[in-house]
Amino acid sequence: MSSKITIFYIGATGYIGGSVLQAILAHPKADTFEVTALVRNETKAKAIEKALGIKIVLGSLEDDALLTEYSEKADVVFQNASANAFDATKAILAGLKQRFDKTGKKPLFFHTWGIAVLVDNALGEYLSPTVTSDYDLDTIDKLPKTIINSRVDKLLVEADADGYTTTFIIAPAIIYGRPRGPLFDGPAPISALVTGVVTKWAAAAARKGRPGIIGKGANAWGYYRDPSVRTDPSVRTNDRISVIVHPINLQFGRPAQGNTEEKQEAALEGVTMQPQFDSPTCSGCSAKAHKAGERRFPEDRQYVHIDDNADAYYRLFDAALFGSAQVSHGREGYFWIEATEHTAYEVHKVIGEALVALGVIGEAEPASLTADEQVKFYGSEEYAAFFAANTRSKGDRLRKELGWAPKHTAQKEFIKDIKEDTEVAAKALKA
């Protein structure tokens, strides 16, 4: 084995992948790393090599033999290019097994999955009372295969159990914010500057002339639990996890079949409902009611910024490679990354305001898409439903095992960054 720690990195030109790669290369022991990045585009490959001084191999996730070859050479593999590349994952694992068989040492495999695996069938009509922790392994085990969930995680769990690699499955919620650094700065950025979700929504709004939501846009991605509520005995518990639901995100929703008013009331026990647009006063929560009629996010909520996401990966990488304490892996190695939640309506409205200011559209208020429009803007009603689902999650492992906490927490910063993301997306639309 080389004296260097060999890292095979997949996804360097992506929004998540580029920011994580920069974080890894900022590690104090980075001079002991030998990084090889898989890049499809030759021009970008040369730019990355020049910007970061790392090795490059031209190829894609469809090159199984190449994936196996370079994984066999690696002490660490990062797969940040695709959450559901089933065949590519098998090829990577084949290489890692060959490495273990030859050296007797287990390589590390960090795979980006995605909180979208938790999607329900809300169709934008309601905010689900169900919140899933990354400690809730029974529920994770039973997640169905869907158009955005091939269950590639099971391959990773099985590989870890077989003992030839140590696997970590990382599932971020929707990420926002402008990344900085050599892969993102300058007139010709190498890696993606904005999440695909904002790009998709901005493009649909531009074509429609105003933001388009599914149903009422009441569904939410991500979840933040006020730490003061964790041990409050007044909070009701369902068969999965204790939840406290802030009704500021419920004003657009109505119960759908299987999501009755009784179920929502049970989830909201311990919460004193205020008039529409007021914040709640929660049992065990220090939040104060806001002025009646004032629409705002609670001040103690946090938002998942691209830098906070990269910090989560960095902490996990550092702990797994250099830490003295055991880090969860394999079946226990699911790590959700979330810091807040926001309804589809709320984000579409902010995107709409940014597009109006740019002169791209004339109306910022979101409107429901017809079935024909869903197919027109998303390709199919099935795919549109994915964006109209709830994915309410709790990232307990990062907080408890690694001490992770987001730094970008201000409401004004969130709105500002979403609008800046929209500006980037709008420029791409004109290109």
Side-chain angles (χ1 to χ4, degrees):
M1 176 177 162
S2 168
S3 59
K4 294 278 190 176
I5 298 171
T6 53
I7 300 174
F8 182 37
Y9 198 93
I10 305 169
T13 61
Y15 181 59
I16 294 176
S19 61
V20 172
L21 177 56
Q22 289 184 160
I24 297 304
L25 292 176
H27 194 283
K29 296 183 180 179
D31 60 348
T32 67
F33 303 162
E34 183 179 286
V35 180
T36 300
L38 180 73
V39 183
R40 290 174 295 180
N41 181 284
E42 186 173 0
T43 301
K44 289 196 173 186
K46 292 179 179 178
I48 292 174
E49 188 174 22
K50 180 179 179 181
L52 302 180
I54 63 176
K55 296 181 178 180
I56 301 294
V57 57
L58 286 174
S60 73
L61 287 177
E62 296 179 354
D63 298 322
D64 290 353
L66 194 66
L67 293 173
T68 298
E69 176 188 350
Y70 279 87
S71 295
E72 183 183 347
K73 301 174 182 178
D75 298 306
V76 180
V77 172
F78 278 91
Q79 207 288 71
N80 291 332
S82 173
N84 295 301
F86 199 85
D87 291 339
T89 302
K90 291 172 67 175
I92 293 168
L93 290 172
L96 296 180
K97 188 174 188 307
Q98 290 173 17
R99 181 173 185 79
F100 175 77
D101 290 342
K102 290 179 180 180
T103 67
K105 296 182 180 180
K106 291 198 294 185
L108 307 178
F109 188 3
F110 298 87
H111 177 84
T112 295
W113 204 25
I115 213 64
V117 297
L118 298 178
V119 294
D120 60 12
N121 195 37
L123 298 177
E125 292 297 327
Y126 61 88
L127 180 69
S128 173
T130 300
V131 181
T132 304
S133 168
D134 48 15
Y135 281 143
D136 188 357
L137 299 177
D138 290 339
T139 293
I140 295 172
D141 284 344
K142 296 173 185 176
L143 291 174
K145 286 188 177 181
T146 67
I147 59 171
I148 42 79
N149 177 20
S150 69
R151 289 318 310 257
V152 70
D153 62 308
K154 290 194 172 183
L155 293 176
L156 302 172
V157 170
E158 290 169 1
D160 188 281
D162 288 342
Y164 64 84
T165 181
T166 303
T167 63
F168 306 91
I169 302 163
I170 309 162
I174 293 178
I175 307 165
Y176 72 94
R178 172 70 185 272
R180 305 291 178 181
L183 294 180
F184 302 97
D185 297 341
I190 302 168
S191 299
L193 293 177
V194 64
T195 174
V197 175
V198 171
T199 301
K200 172 71 72 174
W201 287 350
R207 295 176 68 187
K208 182 177 174 62
R210 67 188 299 179
I213 54 176
I214 313 298
K216 295 177 175 60
N219 57 294
W221 286 49
Y223 178 77
Y224 173 68
R225 174 199 54 236
D226 188 319
S228 66
V229 185
R230 289 180 182 173
T231 59
D232 183 0
S234 71
V235 179
R236 286 288 293 271
T237 305
N238 62 15
D239 60 349
R240 283 162 49 169
I241 201 158
S242 297
V243 298
I244 193 76
V245 183
H246 289 267
I248 192 167
N249 285 326
L250 290 176
Q251 56 235 20
F252 309 105
R254 292 179 183 173
Q257 185 176 3
N259 189 66
T260 63
E261 292 184 16
E262 289 79 12
K263 286 185 178 180
Q264 292 211 8
E265 288 174 358
L268 291 169
E269 183 174 10
V271 178
T272 302
M273 297 291 287
Q274 302 293 329
Q276 188 177 22
F277 298 151
D278 277 9
S279 78
T281 300
C282 305
S283 176
C285 178
S286 61
K288 303 296 183 181
H290 303 307
K291 296 178 181 178
E294 180 183 11
R295 178 175 173 73
R296 60 182 293 178
F297 297 94
E299 291 179 346
D300 61 350
R301 287 201 174 184
Q302 300 174 329
Y303 306 95
V304 181
H305 190 277
I306 185 68
D307 292 343
D308 291 325
N309 184 72
D311 179 57
Y313 279 80
Y314 175 92
R315 287 171 179 264
L316 183 56
F317 166 78
D318 178 67
L321 199 59
F322 302 110
S324 57
Q326 179 72 28
V327 181
S328 293
H329 59 88
R331 184 171 184 265
E332 290 75 33
Y334 290 85
F335 293 84
W336 299 160
I337 305 178
E338 51 69 32
T340 188
E341 69 177 8
H342 41 263
T343 66
Y345 173 92
E346 291 167 339
V347 180
H348 277 280
K349 182 67 177 291
V350 174
I351 290 172
E353 290 170 351
L355 292 176
V356 168
L358 293 169
V360 177
I361 61 176
E363 174 60 62
E365 181 65 25
S368 295
L369 297 176
T370 66
D372 288 343
E373 286 176 324
Q374 291 176 36
V375 174
K376 178 180 179 180
F377 300 143
Y378 291 99
S380 69
E381 289 185 71
E382 182 181 24
Y383 191 53
F386 157 65
F387 291 95
N390 292 287
T391 61
R392 308 190 70 210
S393 60
K394 290 171 63 179
D396 288 317
R397 291 188 189 276
L398 281 170
R399 289 177 171 88
K400 295 181 179 179
E401 294 188 17
L402 303 176
W404 176 83
K407 298 176 181 178
H408 298 265
T409 61
Q411 173 202 352
K412 289 183 178 180
E413 180 184 12
F414 170 74
I415 294 174
K416 173 178 174 290
D417 284 339
I418 290 293
K419 289 185 175 182
E420 287 182 354
D421 288 352
T422 304
E423 291 177 13
V424 173
K427 289 179 181 178
L429 293 175
K430 296 178 181 179

